[in-house]
Amino acid sequence: MNRAMVLWCPDWPITATMLHRRLPADAPVALIDRGLVFACSAAARSEGVRRGLRVREAQARCTRLLVFPYDAALDSRAFEPVLAAIEETMPGVQLVRPGSCVLRARGPARYYGGEEEAALWLLDRLDGIQVHGARVGIADGPFTAERAVRQQKRQRIQIVPEGESAAFLSPLPIEHLGDARLVDLVRRLGIRTLGDFAALDVVSVRDRFGESGAWLHALAGGRDSRAIVPRKPPEQLDSTIEFWPPLERIDQVAFGFRASADRFIQGLVEAKLVCTALRVEVESESGEISERGWLHPRSFTAADVVDRVRWQLQGSGGDSGLASGITRVRVVPESVDAIGNHEEGLWGTGQDERIHHGLSRVQSMLGHGAVVTATVGGGRLLADRQRAAAWGDPLLAARPQARPWPGSLPAPYPATVFPLPRLVSVLTITGEQLGVDARGTLTGEPVRFSPTNSTSDLRALTAWAGPWPLEERWWDSKRTGRGMINRFQLVDADGIAWLLVLQDDRWWAEARYD
């Protein structure tokens, strides 16, 4: 068995978010996934916030709580500098998951004069890059080392002497095996600890639970023979340029970055890759950082990369895009693909390539948001479902269409949806404006309709239906935006069908059935 050294950074998703957003260490932070608390900081836990709580309950327990969406990609991206720092101190690191890794312990122990000294050097290196609170466990095999590092609450280093793994694991609960099906079964047999499970006959365990059960039986007895496979450091494909003195103008930054953009694309070509998504980081003299991800419908060229840098600076406002001069620009490929998947066909790519070239040219002259692509999102009103994304950006709606939207308009949908609702009139037989009372009942029968809200353009009605009341977030006393609205359908004497909305005692035309 190999002596293994496991490094564990507790609450790594919280640590990654704090490093990324430059938050103080004592800030109460919660990460939200699917409406529930996925992880929370120590300051938030001290005020009663726990994993699995709903957002509103967590905010009620901690009024100062900072809430951010959980980003798994950020965890991996933020852990890369940690792995690089570890490799500078001790080579041969194997990534277990973001926030945890394992190394062979014998080499570092011989170099630094002992296992504890090697662990201290490793923790000091992490403290130097502002990753505090990490812990190290050393034992025979990665399984025992990971149990050791997670069992120790007060000390940052836990070492299980060689040959004593079975005794260390024996009192631990059987749930540490991580196989819910096997754990449920053996608990019915009265087995509660790893020592009880390890005491079973290995042949009987293999006959009853198969090879996977025999493997877990070996782990429970401290016999972890897995090899530690060092990771292959990823090839550095990013491109960085620093400016001194700082540049104040956007065109100067874009011109200065052209050579770096060429090297960025050339490095990808030599690796037989193309970039379909990248991240641009711009740093100013005052330390301000502008960071944004960009996508491409096909793959980036050097000119496309320069355009994204310029657009990002233009979108930040001001002459240079930031409050002070630009000192550094870095481009990192976030998504790459094999270059063979993006080669042109024998006869070219035809109309699609010409369209993309033309639209990208318009963007370079007029700005990133000058060319947009329409997409359908979710929502209850038709205007909410219309979304536009800049050419090259993902067609992701703020409100997913797949979610249920009670109260939304069923098919068939109107052919014409007005960009802005039109003020109209719906009159009763007495000439008064039609209304809806508190019980959702019409105050009269609709007889005439004016699509221009003018008495000179009144039309008779041949059919009508409604109203259908709709009120969003009625339970939220702090909600802003629409209150109670009522939908209404009617057909005028010309045979034109309309979709109307009554809001605040005024009628609006939302769409027209052509």
Side-chain angles (χ1 to χ4, degrees):
M1 291 181 293
N2 295 316
R3 291 290 286 176
M5 178 188 299
V6 170
L7 172 74
W8 177 46
C9 299
D11 296 330
W12 176 251
I14 295 293
T15 303
T17 301
M18 287 184 166
L19 292 174
H20 176 68
R21 299 182 180 273
R22 299 187 176 184
L23 299 174
D26 58 347
V29 178
L31 302 181
I32 307 303
D33 184 32
R34 302 174 188 174
L36 303 177
V37 175
F38 177 82
C40 55
S41 64
R45 287 195 295 268
S46 66
E47 300 195 28
V49 181
R50 295 291 182 269
R51 179 186 174 104
L53 289 180
R54 295 190 178 275
V55 180
R56 291 183 63 84
E57 184 177 354
Q59 291 174 329
R61 295 187 180 187
C62 179
T63 57
R64 302 181 298 111
L65 188 66
L66 302 176
V67 176
F68 303 104
Y70 170 63
D71 184 1
L74 176 62
D75 289 355
S76 301
R77 189 166 65 244
F79 201 60
E80 279 296 327
V82 177
L83 294 176
I86 295 174
E87 289 172 333
E88 293 176 0
T89 307
M90 302 174 186
V93 60
Q94 176 183 343
L95 177 66
V96 178
R97 67 186 66 86
S100 181
C101 59
V102 59
L103 307 94
R104 296 190 185 100
R106 294 194 186 278
R110 291 174 180 174
Y111 184 81
Y112 291 104
E115 293 178 341
E116 185 175 1
E117 287 75 10
L120 288 172
W121 272 94
L122 182 58
L123 294 177
D124 288 342
R125 184 67 182 91
L126 265 62
D127 289 338
I129 60 173
Q130 305 303 315
V131 179
H132 305 291
R135 302 175 188 171
V136 173
I138 302 176
D140 295 337
F143 178 79
T144 308
E146 187 169 2
R147 302 286 79 72
V149 74
R150 292 180 179 270
Q151 288 299 310
Q152 183 55 257
K153 300 298 183 182
R154 297 181 180 179
Q155 299 179 358
R156 299 182 64 185
I157 300 174
Q158 174 71 18
I159 300 177
V160 179
E162 189 170 358
E164 297 184 12
S165 294
F168 172 79
L169 294 173
S170 180
L172 298 183
I174 191 66
E175 284 76 13
H176 281 280
L177 290 178
D179 189 326
R181 186 163 174 254
L182 181 140
V183 168
D184 180 66
L185 191 55
V186 297
R187 285 186 68 86
R188 297 179 187 178
L189 301 175
I191 298 174
R192 298 290 185 268
T193 65
L194 294 179
D196 295 339
F197 186 60
L200 299 177
D201 180 65
V202 61
V203 177
S204 301
V205 171
R206 179 180 287 107
D207 292 342
R208 178 62 181 84
F209 301 108
E211 291 298 329
S212 61
W215 168 246
L216 294 176
H217 180 267
L219 294 183
R223 301 183 300 276
D224 186 359
S225 59
R226 288 177 295 177
I228 299 174
V229 182
R231 74 162 189 157
K232 181 180 179 181
E235 189 174 357
Q236 296 296 324
L237 299 175
D238 57 326
S239 179
T240 305
I241 185 172
E242 296 184 355
F243 301 109
W244 190 259
L247 301 182
E248 299 288 343
R249 296 179 56 85
I250 295 177
D251 55 351
Q252 293 175 336
V253 177
F255 182 80
F257 188 71
R258 287 183 181 275
S260 296
D262 291 333
R263 291 194 298 270
F264 174 70
I265 297 300
Q266 183 60 33
L268 290 169
V269 173
E270 292 175 357
K272 295 182 176 57
L273 299 171
V274 294
C275 179
T276 58
L278 57 82
R279 188 175 77 258
V280 177
E281 301 174 359
V282 182
E283 185 174 352
S284 69
E285 186 178 11
S286 61
E288 185 182 4
I289 296 179
S290 171
E291 182 177 349
R292 177 176 173 179
W294 298 88
L295 284 89
H296 198 284
R298 296 176 62 84
S299 61
F300 283 98
T301 63
D304 293 331
V305 176
V306 175
D307 285 341
R308 268 56 177 187
V309 173
R310 184 172 66 252
W311 295 344
Q312 183 163 325
L313 292 172
Q314 290 172 344
S316 301
D319 188 19
S320 67
L322 296 175
S324 57
I326 305 303
T327 59
R328 187 178 69 92
V329 177
R330 179 174 180 240
V331 175
V332 181
E334 287 195 325
S335 178
V336 295
D337 194 8
I339 196 171
N341 298 333
H342 293 260
E343 292 292 338
E344 294 187 0
L346 181 61
W347 310 108
T349 54
Q351 189 70 17
D352 180 73
E353 180 63 28
R354 292 195 295 271
I355 291 174
H356 169 67
H357 178 76
L359 296 181
S360 298
R361 181 61 178 167
V362 172
Q363 277 185 314
S364 65
M365 294 186 295
L366 301 181
H368 180 58
V371 182
V372 297
T373 304
T375 182
V376 178
R380 293 174 176 83
L381 296 183
L382 297 178
D384 296 337
R385 304 184 63 192
Q386 295 179 329
R387 291 289 182 270
W391 176 257
D393 285 358
L395 298 178
L396 298 178
R399 295 180 168 188
Q401 183 182 6
R403 293 181 181 176
W405 295 100
S408 60
L409 187 71
Y413 301 110
T416 302
V417 179
F418 303 125
L420 295 175
R422 298 181 180 181
L423 186 62
V424 299
S425 298
V426 182
L427 305 179
T428 64
I429 193 171
T430 61
E432 297 178 350
Q433 187 84 347
L434 181 67
V436 178
D437 60 22
R439 300 178 63 87
T441 306
L442 294 176
T443 58
E445 183 176 352
V447 175
R448 289 179 295 177
F449 162 73
S450 173
T452 60
N453 193 32
S454 173
T455 56
S456 61
D457 189 20
L458 289 174
R459 308 178 185 181
L461 298 180
T462 59
W464 59 271
W468 298 284
L470 175 62
E471 185 176 15
E472 292 183 320
R473 303 188 66 84
W474 51 267
W475 64 88
D476 188 357
S477 60
K478 298 181 181 180
R479 73 182 188 276
T480 58
R482 298 188 296 259
M484 171 65 76
I485 64 174
N486 288 276
R487 275 178 153 172
F488 197 82
Q489 291 175 325
L490 57 82
V491 180
D492 61 23
D494 296 333
I496 302 176
W498 300 81
L499 179 64
L500 307 184
V501 171
L502 175 63
Q503 184 178 10
D504 298 331
D505 297 327
R506 306 182 76 180
W507 287 95
W508 303 87
E510 183 183 7
R512 182 178 62 226
Y513 294 87
D514 295 333

